Amino acid sequence: MKIAILVTDGFEQVELTKPREMLDAQGATTHVISPQKDEVKAWNSIDWGEKVKVDVPLDNARPEYYDALLLPGGVMNPDTLRTNKEAIAFVKAFFDAGKPVAAICHGPQLLIEAGVVKGRKLTSFPSLQTDLKNAGAEWVNEEVVVSDGLVTSRKPDDIPAFNKAIVELYSQQLAESSHA
């Protein structure tokens, strides 16, 4: 599988690195996609973290090339991306195509902007619950929620459950697409 990971400066470091390590170990091809051209800077809990190489600039990225999408959180990352029309169109394209999406922490802010949360059950960092409810989502305070091709989790402590759910959903998608 080819997995797009959409981020910009200020993503929560472990919310990209841990799922990416797991996906790479499972044999997936992962690409960091960003409006930034060369690298993005992580946020590591309370201060700036590592820099990560951008594999594909957003303006060159094509959703049809990828089988699934990963949206790490952090406060700054999705808050910046949700004002980027190209980023929102990129996210929406995965939903329009019925491809699996995984979002953790503040990542679901992008789902609100893409207009894809109405009628969906999901979770997020607790501070987003009102925004998600106002957008028509059923918000629950659970470690991980899988609903209609979408995996969501609340925070870095949930990454083990998040990773397990991602593998299950993406594997199911891969099996279904190979039988189509």
Side-chain angles (χ1 to χ4, degrees):
M1 285 190 93
K2 296 181 196 96
I3 315 296
I5 305 172
L6 180 62
V7 293
T8 194
D9 288 339
F11 64 91
E12 186 64 44
Q13 185 168 302
V14 296
E15 293 174 2
L16 182 150
T17 58
K18 293 300 180 193
R20 187 180 200 186
E21 287 168 8
M22 178 272 307
L23 288 164
D24 289 343
Q26 294 286 324
T29 299
T30 56
H31 287 164
V32 171
I33 296 171
S34 178
Q36 310 293 97
K37 301 296 183 214
D38 299 316
E39 62 186 20
V40 285
K41 194 168 23 168
W43 187 257
N44 191 5
S45 189
I46 58 169
D47 202 355
W48 290 106
E50 299 173 0
K51 291 181 179 175
V52 175
K53 178 184 173 296
V54 171
D55 298 304
V56 182
L58 180 58
D59 54 8
N60 294 337
R62 301 292 169 256
E64 59 272 13
Y65 177 78
Y66 297 97
D67 301 303
L69 175 63
L70 172 63
L71 299 171
V75 176
M76 291 175 269
N77 167 57
D79 195 55
T80 300
L81 286 174
R82 71 183 180 163
T83 65
N84 182 313
K85 286 180 177 28
E86 198 173 7
I88 297 308
F90 190 79
V91 171
K92 189 166 179 351
F94 283 84
F95 286 89
D96 290 347
K99 295 179 180 181
V101 175
I104 188 168
C105 193
H106 287 78
Q109 283 182 318
L110 294 169
L111 306 180
I112 294 170
E113 291 299 322
V116 298
V117 300
K118 189 172 186 172
R120 289 183 184 270
K121 180 179 176 182
L122 52 83
T123 193
S124 68
F125 196 77
S127 65
L128 298 185
Q129 69 177 293
T130 300
D131 297 332
L132 287 160
K133 288 175 184 175
N134 287 341
E138 178 191 345
W139 186 89
V140 294
N141 186 16
E142 295 176 12
E143 185 177 51
V144 67
V145 175
V146 180
S147 176
D148 194 26
L150 174 64
V151 176
T152 53
S153 276
R154 302 170 299 187
K155 57 190 176 186
D157 290 347
D158 297 339
I159 288 174
F162 183 62
N163 283 351
K164 183 176 184 284
I166 289 171
V167 168
E168 290 171 5
L169 180 64
Y170 290 5
S171 296
Q172 177 185 2
Q173 178 74 15
L174 188 60
E176 288 172 7
S177 64
S178 68
H179 289 99

